[in-house]
Amino acid sequence: MAAINGGSNILDPSNAARSTLKLENTEKRDTLITIEKRYQRRWQESGVFNARAPTTAEIPSGSLSKDLHRRHPKYFGSFAFPYMNGTLHAGHSFTASKVEYAAGFARMQGKRVLFPLGYHCTGMPIKACADKLTEDVRKFGKNFENYKEEELVDGEDNVPAPTQAETKEDITKFTSKKSKAAAKTVKLKYQFQIMIALGIPKEEIHKFADANYWLEYFPPLCKRDLNNFGARIDWRRSFTTTDANPYYDTFVRWQMHRLKELDKIQYGSRYTIYSPKDGQPCMDHDRTEGEGVGPQEYTALKLKVKEWAPQAAEALQGKIPDSANVYFVPATLRPETMYGQTCCFVGPDIRYGVFKVSEIEYFVVTKRAAWNMAFQNILYKDSDFPRNADELTPVLELTGQSVVGTLVNAPLSVHTEGVRILPMETVSPTKGTGVVTSVPSDSPDDYATVTDLAKKAEYYGIKREWAELEILPIVETPSYGNLTAPFLVKKMKINSPKDSKLLADAKDLAYKEGYFKGTMLVGDFKGEAVEAAKPKVKAQLLQNGDAFEYAEPSGHVVSRSADECVVAYLGQWFLNYGENDPTWRDQVLDYVRNGLETYSSETKNGFEKNLEWLNRWACARTYGLGSKLPWEPKFLVESLSDSTIYMAYYTIAHLLHSDVFGTKPGLLSIQPSQMTDEVWDYIFCHREINDSLLQSSGISKADLETMRREFEYWYPLDQRVSGKDLIPNHLTFCLYIHTALFPREHWPRAVRANGHLMLNGEKMSKSTGNFLTLNDAVTKYGADATRIALADAGDGVEDANFEEAVANQIILRMYTLKEWCEDILKDRTLRTDPSSASDTLWDKLFLNEMCTLVHQAHAHYMATDYKVALKSALYDFTSARDVYREACLAASIPMSQRHVHTYITLQALLITPIAPHWADYIYQEVLEFKTTIQNALWPEMPQPDPSLTAIYEYFRTTSSAITSAEGQQIKRKQKGKATNYDLELPKRLTIYIATSFPSWQTKYIDLVQSFHAKASLEDKALNAEVGRMGESKKAMPFVQSLKRRLQNGENANDVFERKLPFEEVEVLGQMLRGLRKTVGKCKGVEIVAVEGEEEKKVGRIVKCEGEGVGKVDEERALLGAAEMAVPGAPTFFFENV
């Protein structure tokens, strides 16, 4: 076995996390994890997350869903069930966390909450891996003892840069971005090596050669990891997909039957991505590379050979009948421009095959193109497709250079005498047919190449006149005239066919201008818009036999069986998404625009673009795991077609079975055979109960009503959370099928798409060692620290970042906060005032700030903005405690026991959705509540008092300004600069307060008042107006202070009349003792009121404390700092005494 493991870090499971943060002292973490395990056990044992709908005894059967929901509010959330070919990684937990936080908050709103999870096993991946392991065992033995070490390849380090040939060509098509799976593939040669890298014990690996073993092995690990995460999941409703669970199998067969009856599933021939090795279509979840890639359709022109180049003629001698026609076959996306063909390009170093189509017809294309044609009824007929490329052999192979000079007839070309085959070094052998027809009037690449060929004819071994056929106008455009390509090449100063970046830009400009704005100048459709003429020209070419339809994958696609995929044209069952059922498509599109909550414009736009692009989807396959297609059981329902409405199955799963495989009956003791299509119709589609249904199913009326009640109570799905990469398939399919089978009241209410999760600012990658599984994260940091770090990672559709340093810091923060809560409640020095009548100013400010933060956190949780909810619920909340503690300490006043208890209670409640273990520990073991915080409600707190909010803001900003000013003086001294006073000697602090506002503020008050009257205090417009008034430096802070006061709820009249909502002198008086303690070497503090008119201002002491100070009412000379003081914004001055 040493040969298996030795010499390769890739096979070491721990290697995937080698670059992540290393923890040293774990005592505090271990303490928190011990608490977490205790509460996880309690939650599972008590069944606190087991959701229940109101029974028909509580509310009679037949009640409308909206009445049920009004009397008993509910939340039903889910995320895409994970695929069971491995354990969950941190990205899964990021998506799951969004449902977690929402579920936790919904419980606190008094809602009944359902958060279920199933296990996805349908499709090729598991079966393909199992088959590979079967072969590995055959080759190397049960424990792979006969394997000899080979070099392992890490696929991520060898990804080539994109080339022009890989850039998007067809601007009329929507394409999705590269999948996460494709971005992260680490290529190990054998499947058993991948299993070792996953951490599977080598003695167990052979068991995975049985595909069903995967279904037994990974679901318990998924459940373990999510329980360790503290997920609020109702596990009674879990299930595996495929016919391994006979109950779920009946559910899938029901939906397929009904979709076929509605004509949403049809049979017909169409292009699809296809795996020759597997002998079936290869859909998104069947791929290791190329998720989201679809067929790219071309018009393949037939350029008949009129005269061969000498070298090619000699090679062909005797290989094909003299009477046969040979065609060079370029594939084009722009058939409307074929009137302008002046030559045809081949790659001089590319090898081409002459492939037999019939006894009298042969095509010249690359082997790759011929391999695609073999599955499109061109080289092979009637779906008698080959399984191996060795079955496809050309009559002859030729190099591109050997055919240069061949004369061919170009259909539609104005050069009816023929055009020549010429060399083009940038032809790609992996795109199209490797043969490229040249239209230099409209293609910048073609124009640059023929220009270069004409200049260097001798170098290329051609006759100059072959490259100098007249370039005639084909399309008129408003921006570039009637010779688009020459215009752009000259304008963009493109000097060579090797200027690939400029040519790619020019190509994009030319295609968009020509297609969307161009007008035909020649041909049967002269005068028509290019957009309208294009399909007509194509149809004409096809009808005349001058072209045929050809397709290939729009990108590289590799199946789970490691087969490079092609495009096949074959008969298949498909879901009729897209333009072929415009009523259905438009119904979904209208719901996305006018009913569905998507939380972001990016998600909504993603749905809209996908719905405009998505077309028919193959819903059946012959290989893999899954449910059999009911009417043609040789097919299986594919993985993205059996997972569209399984959220409905969650609502009744626990009633049907009590294990994930459906081997044990559930609460109603119903057998799978009883779940007929008619029963599913009754549960989901408002079918009425009748004697026939009761008799045929053998299910009692009460049990039928119980199942319908569960469905009608929990549906619709309130929130679906998934990665944004599922918008092009699963999420769109989910909307399609819901609209087809259910009434609008049962369509999903919200879809939240999140970005991918980075780790420490970098893409998660096993090969670089920057990777964490969910189990890794929870083991390393504990559940709550992981959950808090995930909340802190971000909420938008842009990629988020799990920062390990944050998770590590959270351990210390939560441990320290736990210790403080435990200790402070035992502190006998706390004030035990019985009522609020004895509250100090600091008590009132603290309570008011807690009220503010409770309401802020509530608003953020409601908006599902968890990063800012965390800020209010934890960071700002502990900050408010710190301010209160320091203010009391500075004022030599003990903290109030009442307010400390309130703080700890609120802190536990506010953080419950995100960090429930810590919260429940504090709630039950520190505060000694008798029930779990999982059943606690959100705290009811009064609205904050605007005047206290203003005082709190005043206190914090004034204290901060004074301590910051002192800090600046210390920094100056450290840098050797002069200071305003001697830092080593005692000093006095003078605070200047203004008793009236300066006259210049009046016009800015009028400005803010006018904006406020229009209910618009939008920063951009307001700030622009302030800037135009010419005093931005002093005016902007004043304007922002007015705006802040209005937003904090102060009475508008008080704000605009420039009345402070508090007595400034009294508040400063309360602060005096604290300021003396916090300012270094401060012997005394004076508060000096600045009084009088602009030119006759005087200073008068209104409050003072300490040594070296004057007396109240004593006049003081006004120093420069006094001029800047305004009511609510004091200034200050330090001087030695």
Side-chain angles (χ1 to χ4, degrees):
M1 196 61 194
I4 297 176
N5 292 323
S8 177
N9 287 334
I10 296 176
L11 295 184
D12 181 357
S14 65
N15 185 61
R18 68 184 184 276
S19 299
T20 60
L21 187 68
K22 303 297 184 290
L23 302 189
E24 295 179 359
N25 188 343
T26 63
E27 181 182 351
K28 294 179 174 62
R29 177 204 68 183
D30 296 341
T31 299
L32 294 176
I33 288 178
T34 299
I35 291 170
E36 290 169 354
K37 296 302 180 188
R38 182 159 71 246
Y39 281 89
Q40 287 165 6
R41 285 193 299 272
R42 290 185 185 182
W43 298 336
Q44 293 305 316
E45 290 167 1
S46 67
V48 69
F49 305 134
N50 293 347
R52 183 182 66 83
T55 66
T56 53
E58 294 173 282
I59 300 179
S61 178
S63 301
L64 296 176
S65 293
K66 62 181 180 181
D67 293 331
L68 277 171
H69 299 156
R70 179 178 51 80
R71 295 174 63 178
H72 297 282
K74 61 90 181 180
Y75 167 82
F76 175 17
S78 73
F79 71 101
F81 48 18
Y83 198 76
M84 290 295 101
N85 62 345
T87 55
L88 304 185
H89 55 68
H92 286 112
S93 57
F94 180 60
T95 299
S97 71
K98 304 305 181 186
V99 187
E100 253 301 291
Y101 307 147
F105 181 62
R107 294 179 71 92
M108 301 190 77
Q109 292 176 289
K111 297 178 181 180
R112 301 190 187 198
V113 171
L114 174 57
F115 177 14
L117 187 70
Y119 308 110
H120 198 198
C121 307
T122 307
M124 283 182 55
I126 290 174
K127 177 63 174 166
C129 292
D131 288 351
K132 289 178 186 177
L133 279 175
T134 299
E135 180 63 16
D136 289 353
V137 171
R138 186 190 67 78
K139 281 184 178 180
F140 306 122
K142 182 177 177 180
N143 291 322
F144 316 103
E145 59 273 8
N146 299 323
Y147 172 74
K148 294 183 180 179
E149 187 176 356
E150 302 174 28
E151 183 178 354
L152 300 176
V153 179
D154 178 354
E156 290 189 86
D157 295 334
N158 299 290
V159 179
T163 65
Q164 184 181 343
E166 294 167 329
T167 58
K168 181 177 175 182
E169 275 201 8
D170 191 345
I171 59 171
T172 67
K173 300 293 184 184
F174 168 77
T175 56
S176 62
K177 293 185 177 180
K178 188 177 183 181
S179 71
K180 290 184 289 183
K184 297 179 182 176
T185 302
V186 175
K187 296 180 180 178
L188 299 174
K189 186 171 182 180
Y190 296 107
Q191 183 64 38
F192 80 87
Q193 295 170 328
I194 296 173
M195 307 303 283
I196 292 173
L198 286 174
I200 309 296
K202 64 179 182 294
E203 298 80 10
E204 291 190 35
I205 291 176
H206 70 275
K207 299 177 184 178
F208 290 85
D210 176 2
N212 290 319
Y213 187 69
W214 297 66
L215 281 60
E216 298 171 8
Y217 186 86
F218 284 111
L221 297 183
C222 176
K223 182 177 180 180
R224 175 205 69 187
D225 292 348
L226 284 165
N227 276 340
N228 290 341
F229 185 63
R232 299 173 173 91
I233 292 174
D234 183 350
W235 292 110
R236 300 173 306 153
R237 300 172 189 258
S238 298
F239 58 88
T240 59
T241 63
T242 78
D243 54 9
N245 184 318
Y247 294 95
Y248 188 75
D249 188 55
T250 68
F251 169 70
V252 173
R253 287 191 280 112
W254 163 76
Q255 63 180 282
M256 301 308 285
H257 268 141
R258 294 299 176 252
L259 289 167
K260 186 171 182 288
E261 290 169 3
L262 292 167
D263 205 30
K264 304 302 182 187
I265 294 179
Q266 299 177 357
Y267 186 86
S269 295
R270 60 186 290 274
Y271 289 115
T272 190
I273 304 294
Y274 183 87
S275 166
K277 179 179 178 180
D278 301 328
Q280 65 174 10
C282 184
M283 310 313 288
D284 271 3
H285 284 189
D286 301 329
R287 306 172 187 176
T288 57
E289 293 182 50
E291 187 175 333
V293 172
Q296 175 64 68
E297 297 180 30
Y298 294 92
T299 302
L301 291 173
K302 296 167 67 175
L303 278 60
K304 181 180 176 181
V305 174
K306 300 178 71 173
E307 175 190 310
W308 282 103
Q311 187 179 346
E314 182 179 349
L316 281 162
Q317 190 69 37
K319 296 293 195 314
I320 60 175
D322 292 340
S323 60
N325 293 319
V326 182
Y327 299 90
F328 282 78
V329 183
T332 182
L333 292 167
R334 304 194 65 187
E336 75 282 3
T337 65
M338 292 303 100
Y339 300 100
Q341 295 175 85
T342 64
C343 63
C344 180
F345 295 128
V346 294
D349 298 324
I350 295 174
R351 297 194 67 80
Y352 295 88
V354 180
F355 293 91
K356 182 179 179 179
V357 181
S358 68
E359 294 300 326
I360 59 170
E361 197 168 47
Y362 293 78
F363 289 167
V364 180
V365 293
T366 59
K367 177 74 175 284
R368 175 187 168 279
W371 186 232
N372 273 275
M373 291 179 185
F375 301 90
Q376 298 174 24
N377 297 324
I378 298 171
L379 301 183
Y380 289 78
K381 304 296 182 183
D382 301 325
S383 298
D384 184 22
F385 297 151
R387 298 295 285 268
N388 190 296
D390 293 339
E391 298 177 41
L392 180 67
T393 56
V395 173
L396 178 69
E397 283 193 345
L398 298 166
T399 65
Q401 188 61 50
S402 70
V403 301
V404 168
T406 298
L407 183 67
V408 295
N409 178 64
L412 295 185
S413 174
V414 295
H415 298 290
T416 54
E417 70 282 1
V419 301
R420 296 287 177 172
I421 302 294
L422 298 179
M424 186 183 198
E425 293 179 351
T426 57
V427 170
S428 170
T430 59
K431 188 169 186 178
T433 62
V435 181
V436 180
T437 192
S438 172
V439 184
S441 59
D442 291 83
S443 168
D445 289 278
D446 296 352
Y447 180 74
T449 300
V450 296
T451 301
D452 188 59
L453 288 171
K455 287 180 181 178
K456 305 174 184 176
E458 185 176 350
Y459 171 80
Y460 288 110
I462 65 170
K463 294 181 180 180
R464 182 170 179 171
E465 58 266 26
W466 292 350
E468 290 188 328
L469 294 187
E470 184 180 2
I471 300 174
L472 297 173
I474 305 300
V475 174
E476 180 73 44
T477 66
S479 301
Y480 312 132
N482 58 19
L483 289 172
T484 294
F487 179 90
L488 286 171
V489 167
K490 292 169 185 173
K491 180 182 179 182
M492 298 175 70
K493 298 180 180 178
I494 297 171
N495 299 316
S496 165
K498 296 180 180 179
D499 291 341
S500 57
K501 175 64 172 65
L502 288 174
L503 282 169
D505 293 342
K507 176 182 180 180
D508 189 54
L509 293 171
Y511 195 172
K512 287 181 179 178
E513 179 80 7
Y515 181 78
F516 292 112
K517 300 179 182 179
T519 302
M520 299 298 298
L521 296 175
V522 297
D524 294 344
F525 310 103
K526 179 180 179 180
E528 292 191 22
V530 167
E531 194 170 358
K534 178 176 179 174
K536 297 178 182 179
V537 175
K538 177 179 177 179
Q540 189 179 71
L541 286 164
L542 297 176
Q543 185 177 357
N544 293 340
D546 291 327
F548 59 92
E549 293 182 317
Y550 165 74
E552 64 184 28
S554 61
H556 189 59
V557 180
V558 178
S559 74
R560 297 279 181 178
S561 59
D563 186 33
E564 185 169 348
C565 294
V566 298
V567 167
Y569 187 76
L570 72 167
Q572 59 186 166
W573 293 102
F574 58 83
L575 281 154
N576 197 30
Y577 300 139
E579 61 188 14
N580 296 292
D581 191 340
T583 302
W584 192 18
R585 178 197 61 197
D586 293 346
Q587 183 181 42
V588 178
L589 194 56
D590 176 71
Y591 187 62
V592 167
R593 289 170 174 166
N594 301 307
L596 184 70
E597 171 61 68
T598 59
Y599 302 99
S600 73
S601 59
E602 293 93 336
T603 299
K604 179 173 286 189
N605 292 339
F607 274 120
E608 291 175 346
K609 289 178 181 178
N610 193 51
L611 285 163
E612 292 166 0
W613 163 82
L614 182 66
N615 214 322
R616 294 168 170 172
W617 186 269
C619 61
R621 67 159 69 80
T622 57
Y623 175 80
L625 303 179
S627 295
K628 292 179 173 61
L629 201 62
W631 56 90
E632 198 165 354
K634 70 177 183 180
F635 290 112
L636 299 170
V637 180
E638 70 94 23
S639 62
L640 282 167
S641 299
D642 83 335
S643 57
T644 54
I645 57 168
Y646 65 87
M647 312 86 189
Y649 187 80
Y650 281 137
T651 64
I652 63 165
H654 64 304
L655 303 177
L656 299 178
H657 51 82
S658 57
D659 70 317
V660 297
F661 295 107
T663 60
K664 301 174 185 177
L667 297 177
L668 298 184
S669 298
I670 294 171
Q671 297 301 311
S673 59
Q674 295 177 276
M675 295 303 294
T676 63
D677 286 354
E678 291 71 28
V679 170
W680 290 110
D681 285 341
Y682 170 78
I683 297 169
F684 295 144
C685 303
H686 300 300
R687 174 176 174 155
E688 294 304 316
I689 289 182
N690 54 41
D691 292 339
S692 174
L693 177 62
L694 294 172
Q695 185 173 359
S696 63
S697 69
I699 302 174
S700 70
K701 179 180 180 181
D703 286 351
L704 286 169
E705 288 178 341
T706 296
M707 288 191 286
R708 178 185 276 188
R709 166 54 55 82
E710 285 279 341
F711 169 71
E712 292 190 340
Y713 177 69
W714 291 116
Y715 245 55
L717 181 68
D718 293 290
Q719 186 183 53
R720 178 67 167 179
V721 181
S722 293
K724 61 185 177 183
D725 53 304
L726 293 186
I727 293 175
N729 43 62
H730 165 70
L731 291 174
T732 300
F733 299 172
C734 172
L735 296 179
Y736 258 118
I737 305 304
H738 272 88
T739 60
L741 295 179
F742 299 118
R744 188 182 179 104
E745 67 188 77
H746 288 151
W747 297 353
R749 287 176 174 167
V751 171
R752 182 194 179 105
N754 54 259
H756 303 156
L757 185 68
M758 296 189 295
L759 180 61
N760 302 322
E762 302 288 341
K763 184 185 76 173
M764 277 207 294
S765 163
K766 289 183 179 179
S767 70
T768 62
N770 192 52
F771 189 85
L772 284 179
T773 65
L774 173 55
N775 185 56
D776 290 337
V778 171
T779 301
K780 192 171 186 178
Y781 299 109
D784 282 341
T786 299
R787 293 167 67 108
I788 292 171
L790 287 169
D792 192 69
D795 293 301
V797 295
E798 66 277 359
D799 290 350
N801 181 38
F802 182 93
E803 194 66 57
E804 286 192 280
V806 171
N808 194 32
Q809 291 162 8
I810 288 297
I811 293 172
L812 177 60
R813 175 184 283 271
M814 301 311 289
Y815 180 87
T816 304
L817 187 56
K818 175 189 81 72
E819 294 280 289
W820 183 86
C821 292
E822 292 167 343
D823 294 341
I824 197 67
L825 291 182
K826 301 172 187 175
D827 190 342
R828 300 305 178 193
T829 67
L830 296 179
R831 278 186 291 118
T832 56
D833 303 333
S835 71
S836 60
S838 57
D839 278 356
T840 67
L841 173 64
W842 310 121
D843 296 333
K844 293 175 183 178
L845 292 180
F846 183 38
L847 181 61
N848 190 71
E849 182 65 6
M850 288 194 288
C851 290
T852 298
L853 293 172
V854 166
H855 288 288
Q856 282 183 6
H858 186 277
H860 296 321
Y861 277 126
M862 284 290 292
T864 72
D865 292 332
Y866 301 115
K867 186 177 177 73
V868 287
L870 175 67
K871 181 177 181 294
S872 296
L874 180 62
Y875 300 135
D876 290 349
F877 214 71
T878 53
S879 177
R881 182 224 37 194
D882 293 342
V883 170
Y884 175 60
R885 180 173 57 182
E886 290 161 9
C888 289
L889 181 64
S892 300
I893 303 172
M895 291 188 290
S896 163
Q897 187 182 63
R898 253 184 321 106
H899 292 315
V900 165
H901 194 278
T902 298
Y903 162 76
I904 295 173
T905 305
L906 290 176
Q907 179 64 90
L909 290 169
L910 264 60
I911 202 63
T912 294
I914 295 174
H917 309 83
W918 186 93
D920 214 358
Y921 169 79
I922 295 297
Y923 196 70
Q924 292 195 61
E925 298 189 39
V926 177
L927 296 170
E928 299 182 351
F929 285 95
K930 301 304 180 185
T931 58
T932 175
I933 203 167
Q934 298 281 10
N935 292 329
L937 297 178
W938 188 263
E940 293 285 340
M941 299 293 284
Q943 288 295 326
D945 182 335
S947 64
L948 290 174
T949 301
I951 293 173
Y952 189 77
E953 182 70 18
Y954 178 87
F955 165 68
R956 294 194 66 180
T957 56
T958 302
S959 298
S960 176
I962 292 171
T963 54
S964 295
E966 186 181 33
Q968 287 297 321
Q969 294 299 313
I970 294 172
K971 286 181 181 179
R972 288 181 63 86
K973 182 175 181 180
Q974 289 172 344
K975 292 178 180 180
K977 297 181 179 180
T979 57
N980 296 336
Y981 55 91
D982 192 329
L983 301 179
E984 302 300 323
L985 298 177
K987 59 179 176 286
R988 180 177 65 210
L989 168 64
T990 302
I991 302 174
Y992 297 106
I993 62 170
T995 57
S996 61
F997 288 89
S999 57
W1000 64 263
Q1001 292 182 350
T1002 303
K1003 59 183 176 181
Y1004 294 101
I1005 289 175
D1006 294 340
L1007 174 66
V1008 175
Q1009 194 166 13
S1010 68
F1011 271 79
H1012 183 259
K1014 295 182 288 187
S1016 172
L1017 286 173
E1018 194 268 322
D1019 270 338
K1020 189 174 181 181
L1022 182 59
N1023 292 350
E1025 196 62 36
V1026 172
R1028 278 192 288 271
M1029 295 169 74
E1031 298 172 297
S1032 294
K1033 189 172 182 179
K1034 64 179 180 179
M1036 197 67 76
F1038 174 66
V1039 168
Q1040 290 301 319
S1041 70
L1042 295 176
K1043 179 181 173 182
R1044 189 162 51 248
R1045 290 175 64 187
L1046 291 167
Q1047 291 172 334
N1048 285 340
E1050 286 188 43
N1051 182 281
N1053 288 333
D1054 289 345
V1055 173
F1056 294 130
E1057 290 175 12
R1058 290 187 282 189
K1059 291 181 180 178
L1060 291 181
F1062 57 87
E1063 290 294 332
E1064 188 173 10
V1065 172
E1066 294 303 317
V1067 172
L1068 280 172
Q1070 296 272 1
M1071 295 171 60
L1072 286 181
R1073 184 175 298 177
L1075 288 172
R1076 279 188 64 199
K1077 288 188 176 182
T1078 55
V1079 175
K1081 298 184 181 297
C1082 185
K1083 289 292 186 179
V1085 182
E1086 292 181 346
I1087 302 174
V1088 176
V1090 181
E1091 302 171 337
E1093 300 297 327
E1094 292 285 339
E1095 303 299 327
K1096 301 178 182 178
K1097 288 183 178 180
V1098 295
R1100 181 174 59 86
I1101 299 174
V1102 291
K1103 291 271 185 182
C1104 57
E1105 180 172 305
E1107 303 174 19
V1109 298
K1111 297 180 180 178
V1112 172
D1113 288 334
E1114 181 181 332
E1115 288 193 2
R1116 281 287 190 214
L1118 297 179
L1119 301 175
E1123 294 297 322
M1124 300 299 294
V1126 294
T1131 56
F1132 42 86
F1133 179 74
F1134 294 109
E1135 59 184 326
N1136 293 120
V1137 292

